Amino acid sequence: MSTQAAAKSVLRRDPIMAELVERYDLAPIDSSMGEFERLLVSIINQQLSTASAMAVRERTFDVLDQEITPRRVLEVEDEPLLQAGLSRSKVEYARNAAEAFLERDLTREGLADHTNDEVREELTTIRGVGDWTARMYLLFVLERPDVLPLGDLAVRRGIEALYNDGAELSRAKMREIAEPWRPHRSLATRYIWADYESDD
């Protein structure tokens, strides 16, 4: 049995999650995107709708001439980035991330021996990288299998819709609901996102 098949068999023990596994065919995570690029995308995405984030990302990447590297981010002037739609604080955060990547090994290989908590601690020392962004890095860059990003509004709303008829739940209750998904909460999260986005 493949790793993916084994993960799905665990999730199917939860009847609600079993329905999502049957309903949605998830695309594989795009591993071709570089680590710094993925972190930059997460910074751009902070507090923006999916459509707005995509538009800002495209304009920002154009400003960078599609050269999404720490050195390029540090070279470019503030004004074009601001005109692309980045706030002044996000320009600062992008530069902070670029400097961190030049100073430390934050690649998949460099963080391979770090636990999830150690990765979060390492990343959140960068001003502008909060817990949500660190968890997105764990999920999409390091592809850690057991990440539950309850700082993500769509995940919380998705769990409430699926397990509590849309009524508010505490994060403690959400963790309890997610306990049977271990050690595959990353995959469960992606199914919740798929379902949430399908209702938009």
Side-chain angles (χ1 to χ4, degrees), residues 48-200:
L48 290 179
S49 69
T50 302
S52 297
M54 193 171 294
V56 173
R57 180 174 70 190
E58 286 177 2
R59 292 195 299 266
T60 300
F61 283 13
D62 284 345
V63 167
L64 298 171
D65 300 320
Q66 305 300 322
E67 186 186 335
I68 320 304
T69 64
R71 292 192 189 284
R72 181 63 184 144
V73 166
L74 293 172
E75 285 169 1
V76 74
E77 298 291 329
D78 283 3
E79 196 54 41
L81 293 171
L82 294 169
Q83 289 177 358
L86 290 183
S87 63
R88 202 163 287 282
S89 59
K90 284 190 180 179
V91 171
E92 179 197 339
Y93 299 161
R95 296 197 194 286
N96 292 344
E99 287 170 354
F101 259 79
L102 291 175
E103 291 166 3
R104 294 181 257 159
D105 188 354
L106 299 176
T107 63
R108 295 176 181 93
E109 293 75 18
L111 295 173
D113 294 332
H114 289 53
T115 65
N116 286 2
D117 285 345
E118 286 168 346
V119 171
R120 285 166 52 212
E121 191 174 323
E122 184 80 28
L123 290 173
T124 53
T125 61
I126 305 168
R127 178 171 160 73
V129 175
D131 190 66
W132 177 85
T133 305
R135 288 178 190 269
M136 293 302 103
Y137 199 82
L138 280 165
L139 210 158
F140 289 108
V141 177
L142 305 183
E143 297 186 46
R144 298 290 173 89
D146 200 34
V147 180
L148 181 68
L150 291 181
D152 189 271
L153 181 64
V155 171
R156 295 199 307 277
R157 293 290 178 268
I159 292 173
E160 287 166 350
L162 289 163
Y163 291 86
N164 205 39
D165 292 326
E168 190 172 340
L169 288 168
S170 69
R171 295 199 189 192
K173 182 62 181 175
M174 290 183 194
R175 288 189 192 95
E176 187 182 315
I177 288 167
E179 196 60 28
W181 309 338
R182 286 181 181 272
H184 304 290
R185 291 181 300 174
S186 297
L187 185 61
T189 294
R190 294 180 62 219
Y191 278 113
I192 290 164
W193 271 324
D195 189 67
Y196 183 80
E197 288 168 5
S198 76
D199 292 335
D200 285 354

Side-chain angles (χ1 to χ4, degrees), residues 32-46:
S32 66
M33 190 182 287
E35 294 97 332
F36 176 72
E37 180 175 343
R38 180 66 80 174
L39 184 60
L40 182 60
V41 166
S42 290
I43 289 170
I44 292 169
N45 288 355
Q46 289 170 8

